[in-house]
């Protein structure tokens, strides 16, 4: 093999050979695909992608380079990156360096020059699966590489929120007068979410995932937010207990993505691992009360059980499945009918992605205003 050879091996034995992209070495993770045509910087820095090897369906990646404004966290979280055609040069007025350089800087192992259409079709057929990318001195014979891939932990049962959560509380102040105080539980929060709150006059205290109910109450919030995040929601018993405590206190609550799954579990619903998940910025969601369809940004491999418009009893009152995916019927939102809690499975903070769902932040403000 030549010096710039890279190999991607899937747990079922499928192999893709290409060239190095980013750092040289070895990385292991769950192979998933993202259908977004733009916003790769936000995708790579989204904590929800922790321990996942992201396959880009867009054929050319890296055109706009890397800037210092669009990161959604303090680092790249993806385990690896697989692309077809990396741009040879960056062309954007905000670019500070190339994508290749940033991947090298953060030691993210990737692969380029592979048939990503074939790889995505394979993952759609077989489902997301364990994978590895190998280059340089980490290259070895096929049986050895396959053994490394299959020897890694599964995403099913993975408890990852603590890995990506802030260790210390920090506060984002609104530009003007503070109308409300929100405690945001960081399960893997994206940087644009507190900014969206701040734009609406909310002071946001971002707290670690292991925060207690008493610690939240000490901050005297008008509402509580449950963020997006990585891993299996079935592992989050502490977060579920915290959510039940918040609901018992009567505090308004808003959750997105992982937060939607945590709220669902707190209301008695079960979760399951999807075949290949939803990852992209072009996924249609139906809100059943209004019939409104929003084009949304999503990143999740687990989902809540439920049917469109279904209503069910909970310890906190009657609840309903408020949103579902127009593509496959997956639960995309919950609502306490006579209560103070709602959630969506998608990313209304639109980073990167459409702005169709930004109204949900206003809905949260109205909920706190009426509390």
């Amino acid at each position: 093999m030549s010096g710039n050879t890279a190999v991607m091996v899937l747990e079922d034995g499928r192999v893709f050979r290409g060239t190095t992209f980013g750092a040289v070495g070895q990385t292991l993770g769950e192979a998933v695909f993202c259908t977004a045509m733009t916003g790769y910087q936000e995708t790579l820095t989204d904590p929800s992608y922790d321990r996942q090897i992201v396959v880009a369906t867009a054929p050319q990646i890296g055109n706009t380079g890397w800037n210092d404004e669009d990161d959604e966290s303090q680092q790249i979280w993806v385990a690896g990156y697989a692309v077809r055609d990396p741009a040879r040069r960056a062309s954007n007025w905000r670019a500070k360096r190339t994508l290749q350089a940033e991947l090298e800087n953060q030691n993210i192992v990737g692969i380029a020059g592979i048939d990503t259409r074939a790889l995505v079709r394979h993952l759609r057929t077989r489902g997301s699966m364990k994978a590895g990318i190998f280059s340089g001195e980490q290259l070895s014979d096929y049986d050895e590489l396959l053994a490394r891939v299959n020897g890694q932990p599964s995403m099913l049962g993975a408890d990852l929120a603590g890995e990506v959560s802030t260790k210390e509380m920090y506060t984002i102040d609104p530009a003007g007068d503070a109308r409300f105080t929100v405690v945001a539980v960081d399960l893997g929060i994206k940087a644009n979410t507190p900014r969206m709150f701040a734009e609406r006059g909310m002071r946001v205290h971002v707290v670690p995932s292991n925060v207690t109910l008493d610690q939240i109450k000490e901050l005297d919030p008008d509402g509580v937010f449950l963020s997006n995040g990585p891993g299996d929601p079935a592992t989050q018993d502490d977060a579920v207990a915290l959510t039940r405590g918040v609901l018992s206190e009567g505090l308004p609550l808003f959750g997105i993505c992982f937060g939607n799954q945590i709220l669902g579990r707190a209301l008695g619903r079960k979760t399951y691992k999807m075949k290949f998940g939803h990852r992209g910025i072009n996924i249609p969601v139906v809100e059943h009360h209004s019939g409104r369809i929003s084009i949304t940004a999503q990143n999740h491999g687990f989902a809540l059980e439920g049917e469109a418009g279904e209503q069910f009893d909970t310890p906190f009152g009657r609840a309903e499945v408020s949103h579902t995916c127009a593509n496959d019927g997956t639960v995309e939102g919950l609502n306490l009918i006579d209560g103070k809690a709602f959630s969506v499975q998608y990313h209304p903070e639109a980073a990167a992605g459409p702005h169709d769902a930004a109204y949900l932040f206003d809905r949260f403000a109205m909920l706190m205003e009426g509390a």
Side-chain angles (χ1 to χ4, degrees), residues 12-213:
D12 64 356
R14 186 78 182 265
V15 177
F16 292 84
R17 291 179 172 81
T19 57
T20 58
F21 183 47
V24 174
Q26 169 182 300
T27 190
L28 300 171
E30 181 186 47
V32 301
F33 60 88
C34 177
T35 60
M37 296 181 68
T38 62
Y40 58 79
Q41 183 168 338
E42 292 93 331
T43 294
L44 296 177
T45 55
D46 179 354
S48 299
Y49 279 112
D50 185 31
R51 295 199 196 177
Q52 294 182 322
I53 297 174
V54 175
V55 181
T57 62
Q60 190 171 68
I61 296 293
N63 307 62
T64 54
W66 196 275
N67 62 59
D68 293 331
E69 292 82 43
D70 291 343
D71 287 0
E72 287 301 315
S73 66
Q74 297 300 310
Q75 67 181 80
I76 294 176
W77 283 104
V78 302
Y81 202 24
V83 305
R84 177 180 175 181
D85 182 16
R88 288 176 290 177
R89 56 187 288 184
S91 179
N92 185 271
W93 66 277
R94 294 194 302 155
K96 300 296 185 183
R97 52 204 164 274
T98 65
L99 172 58
Q100 165 74 23
E102 190 64 25
L103 294 173
E104 290 179 357
N105 290 342
Q106 299 200 37
N107 198 34
I108 305 300
V109 176
I111 186 171
I114 63 172
D115 187 344
T116 49
R117 288 185 302 176
L119 175 52
V120 169
R121 286 172 66 90
H122 188 74
L123 294 175
R124 278 184 59 89
T125 302
R126 301 291 183 89
S128 299
M129 63 181 75
K130 298 176 183 178
I133 300 174
F134 310 92
S135 55
E137 295 181 356
Q138 295 299 324
L139 287 168
S140 185
D141 62 77
Y142 168 79
D143 290 337
E144 166 63 22
L145 298 182
L146 185 60
R148 294 182 205 170
V149 168
N150 284 307
Q152 67 179 297
S154 171
M155 190 60 70
L156 187 67
D159 182 359
L160 304 181
E163 285 188 8
V164 302
S165 177
T166 182
K167 305 307 177 190
E168 302 288 341
M169 185 186 83
Y170 61 92
T171 301
I172 305 295
D173 288 318
D177 294 336
R179 299 169 56 208
F180 306 106
T181 296
V182 173
V183 171
V185 182
D186 180 5
L187 304 166
I189 199 167
K190 295 169 72 174
N192 204 42
T193 304
R195 288 196 293 263
M196 296 283 279
F197 284 131
E199 289 173 2
R200 290 161 173 80
M202 304 180 203
R203 176 175 288 112
V204 186
H205 299 301
V206 183
V207 297
S209 61
N210 60 358
V211 68
T212 66
L213 180 60

Side-chain angles (χ1 to χ4, degrees), residues 305-353:
E305 294 181 347
E307 302 293 334
E310 176 187 358
Q311 295 192 0
F312 55 97
D313 292 319
T314 81
F316 311 99
R318 194 93 169 140
E320 65 181 348
V321 175
S322 55
H323 299 70
T324 52
C325 180
N327 289 339
D328 59 13
T330 301
V331 174
E332 294 279 0
L334 297 175
N335 183 45
L336 277 178
I337 296 174
D338 297 320
K340 299 177 180 179
F342 70 99
S343 60
V344 293
Q345 185 60 58
Y346 46 94
H347 288 250
E349 80 286 344

Side-chain angles (χ1 to χ4, degrees), residues 203-246:
R203 176 175 288 112
V204 186
H205 299 301
V206 183
V207 297
S209 61
N210 60 358
V211 68
T212 66
L213 180 60
D214 286 341
Q215 289 170 331
I216 288 178
K217 290 166 64 176
E218 286 175 5
L219 295 168
D220 193 25
D222 298 296
V224 174
F225 172 73
L226 300 176
S227 81
N228 58 291
D232 187 345
T235 65
Q236 298 300 309
D237 290 346
D238 289 347
V240 171
L242 175 68
T243 302
R244 288 174 176 156
V246 169

